[in-house]
Amino acid sequence: MKKVTEILSAVLLLCLVFLCIVSCGEQEDNTPDLSVDYASQVKLDMASETVKQTVTVKTYVDGDTTHFHVPTTITDSGVLKARYIAINTPESTGKIEEYGKKASNFTREKLSSASSIIIESDDGNWNLDSTGGRYLVWIWYRTQETEEYRNLNIEILQNGLAIASSSANNRYGSTCMAAIDQAKANKLNVYSGQRDPDFYYGEAVELTLKELRCNIEDYSGIQVAFNGIVTINNNNGVYVENYDEETDMYYGIYVYYGFNLSGPGLEILSVGNEVRIVGTVQYYEAGGTYQVSGLTYRQMKPNDPGNIQKLSEGHTPAYVETSAQTFKNGKVTIVSGDDDEQEQQQQVFDYAALAVGSSIEMKNLKVKSIYTTSDEESSSYGAMTLTCEVDGITISVRTVVLYDGNKNMVTAEAYEGKTIDVRGVIDYFSGTYQIKVFSTDGILIQN
């Protein structure tokens, strides 16, 4: 009897093992495939109901926004500002976020090497985003005419360079979600949990000069960090400017270094250098403007995120040629707010208010009168304010104390009644925007 029981137990055990094997074999394998190229899985169907257009790049903005040249039948300006459907890359044009620069560079690299680019709507119309200024599109590209088109939106997702943005609710939604899941499973970039090697993890708020200029009061008393080109060195400080592709404008600010920097630190701030500035935003009462101050340079720790740093050299001021009309009456509309917000804010600024601190050129100014600072005890003794007129608009040009090649002070006689071209920076004084000139080279006499 005992032997029969042992045999039955053995048979029962074998049955259980067999059932387990069969059951396991019937279970669906949910292990994610970590090597799927989802960007090539979707296909561009030129016969579908969506609208499509072959385009070329006008401006690279960031990872999920590009401006394209299009026929005027699509937009009157011939430029379509594209916002990529289904993705939201980290910021690189306002407050700088982790992996923002990497996402921006990824998009630029793919499109700059493309032999052909096609944009596609999600349905039968060109649809605007919540800002009313950008079109929601899919981006398709190929690097050779013999290749099939790849979907850049999905390629960005599968590389972990964007988070979801209504990613499931579109014509390629299931593929978008699969690409996101794969990026998460592979722990790529924004899903990696790792520090971004291109991001500074210091105490300062990482931002662009555009972001700083558009929200200058919000950053008062706050330590900030931004990149820019040193254009002018004057009075223990430098003017720094940087170009923003989306608005096609230069933004600038005066950076006061005072007497805190040693030789190596001052060399970093040489005119023509691209630099990383780290300092505190302060309101300068005497001038009625904001500036950045409190710079430091620790020579023994050159890569300290709190240091100013030299990034490159050999640059020149932009000296953007600007009309008197734009300078006095120009308006700039800025869209602010995260791309995922339903309602983004639009702010309208005076052109000069946004461009203050940046380099400018203005031509054909007729000098009407000149005021010279006559207080001999003033450090501005001999400096001049030229009241000029061009196209019926009055423009003020302020100089520092100017000297000619023989080190003689230049006086009002040199410019009275002349027509001049000027190069300087946009300055603000006593409630008025003016052009400030720092050398005789900044004033070209036409007659």
Side-chain angles (χ1 to χ4, degrees):
M1 186 69 182
K2 181 179 179 182
K3 191 170 184 179
V4 171
T5 303
E6 289 177 348
I7 293 172
L8 289 174
S9 297
V11 170
L12 180 61
L13 180 60
L14 288 172
C15 289
L16 289 173
V17 170
F18 176 76
L19 289 172
C20 182
I21 292 173
V22 171
S23 175
C24 290
E26 291 177 349
Q27 286 182 359
E28 183 179 352
D29 185 3
N30 292 319
T31 303
D33 188 338
L34 303 184
S35 59
V36 178
D37 181 14
Y38 290 103
S40 64
Q41 278 202 342
V42 291
K43 304 298 180 182
L44 175 59
D45 181 3
M46 295 300 291
S48 71
E49 77 281 6
T50 62
V51 284
K52 307 167 190 71
Q53 178 62 50
T54 301
V55 297
T56 57
V57 174
K58 177 184 183 291
T59 305
Y60 297 102
V61 177
D62 59 15
D64 56 29
T65 305
T66 307
H67 297 176
F68 295 105
H69 292 291
V70 296
T72 53
T73 52
I74 296 178
T75 64
D76 292 339
S77 65
V79 175
L80 182 143
K81 298 179 179 180
R83 174 69 172 85
Y84 295 13
I85 292 173
I87 74 173
N88 185 10
T89 61
E91 286 297 315
S92 62
T93 61
K95 289 183 182 179
I96 308 298
E97 297 176 339
E98 294 174 90
Y99 295 100
K101 292 181 180 179
K102 187 170 184 179
S104 181
N105 291 337
F106 184 88
T107 294
R108 180 187 292 262
E109 176 187 339
K110 296 301 180 183
L111 294 184
S112 63
S113 61
S115 63
S116 178
I117 303 169
I118 292 177
I119 58 174
E120 179 189 22
S121 68
D122 200 51
D123 54 28
N125 302 295
W126 295 116
N127 298 308
L128 290 166
D129 72 352
S130 59
T131 70
R134 299 181 300 185
Y135 289 84
L136 295 165
V137 297
W138 298 99
I139 312 296
W140 300 86
Y141 78 96
R142 62 185 180 191
T143 56
Q144 297 181 29
E145 296 305 306
T146 56
E147 295 178 342
E148 289 190 327
Y149 282 94
R150 293 176 61 79
N151 187 291
L152 182 57
N153 310 52
I154 295 173
E155 188 168 16
I156 291 169
L157 287 175
Q158 75 184 29
N159 279 276
L161 289 170
I163 60 174
S165 179
S166 300
S167 300
N169 303 320
N170 56 71
R171 66 188 302 104
Y172 306 118
S174 60
T175 307
C176 287
M177 297 310 298
I180 293 170
D181 290 342
Q182 178 172 278
K184 289 179 177 179
N186 278 324
K187 297 182 178 181
L188 298 179
N189 294 311
V190 298
Y191 303 112
S192 67
Q194 303 298 314
R195 292 162 70 93
D196 176 4
D198 297 321
F199 184 81
Y200 290 96
Y201 291 89
E203 296 180 359
V205 177
E206 300 288 335
L207 43 65
T208 62
L209 264 173
K210 172 191 171 185
E211 166 70 16
L212 181 58
R213 267 291 160 217
C214 291
N215 304 280
I216 192 74
E217 294 182 5
D218 294 342
Y219 291 105
S220 182
I222 295 176
Q223 189 181 49
V224 297
F226 55 87
N227 296 352
I229 308 298
V230 179
T231 59
I232 301 289
N233 191 327
N234 180 71
N235 197 24
N236 294 325
V238 293
Y239 288 90
V240 177
E241 69 182 12
N242 203 17
Y243 177 66
D244 173 68
E245 292 183 296
E246 186 166 23
T247 54
D248 191 26
M249 274 185 61
Y250 283 84
Y251 298 83
I253 199 164
Y254 183 70
V255 177
Y256 180 72
Y257 56 75
F259 303 94
N260 297 327
L261 295 180
S262 61
L266 291 176
E267 288 178 7
I268 289 173
L269 297 179
S270 296
V271 172
N273 284 350
E274 180 189 10
V275 296
R276 178 174 187 264
I277 296 293
V278 184
T280 302
V281 179
Q282 294 182 336
Y283 184 72
Y284 178 51
E285 293 285 352
T289 58
Y290 285 91
Q291 63 182 27
V292 174
S293 61
L295 278 61
T296 60
Y297 181 69
R298 301 172 66 187
Q299 191 171 355
M300 300 302 293
K301 293 185 176 182
N303 295 321
D304 189 311
N307 271 356
I308 59 171
Q309 295 182 25
K310 175 182 173 181
L311 305 177
S312 61
E313 60 185 15
H315 304 276
T316 57
Y319 289 126
V320 177
E321 186 172 341
T322 307
S323 69
Q325 176 66 26
T326 297
F327 185 83
K328 278 286 189 177
N329 304 312
K331 303 293 182 182
V332 181
T333 300
I334 301 292
V335 177
S336 61
D338 188 84
D339 287 327
D340 256 358
E341 293 181 4
Q342 292 298 312
E343 294 184 6
Q344 294 183 317
Q345 294 183 343
Q346 287 193 350
Q347 295 173 281
V348 180
F349 296 88
D350 292 335
Y351 174 86
L354 276 190
V356 66
S358 65
S359 61
I360 183 176
E361 179 179 34
M362 192 174 294
K363 295 183 176 181
N364 302 316
L365 288 83
K366 179 69 175 180
V367 180
K368 293 297 185 178
S369 63
I370 300 177
Y371 166 79
T372 302
T373 303
S374 56
D375 183 359
E376 295 186 6
E377 295 184 1
S378 171
S379 60
S380 298
Y381 172 69
M384 297 174 284
T385 299
L386 287 64
T387 300
C388 306
E389 186 176 290
V390 55
D391 299 328
I393 298 173
T394 300
I395 301 291
S396 293
V397 177
R398 177 67 176 174
T399 75
V400 298
V401 183
L402 301 178
Y403 296 92
D404 62 19
N406 296 318
K407 298 185 179 180
N408 296 316
M409 184 184 294
V410 177
T411 64
E413 294 178 355
Y415 304 118
E416 287 176 341
K418 305 292 186 180
T419 299
I420 61 175
D421 299 339
V422 298
R423 280 187 164 191
V425 299
I426 300 177
D427 189 36
Y428 182 81
F429 178 74
S430 190
T432 301
Y433 291 98
Q434 59 186 11
I435 302 174
K436 191 167 185 178
V437 175
F438 297 90
S439 70
T440 54
D441 292 340
I443 301 179
L444 175 64
I445 300 174
Q446 292 190 7
N447 58 28

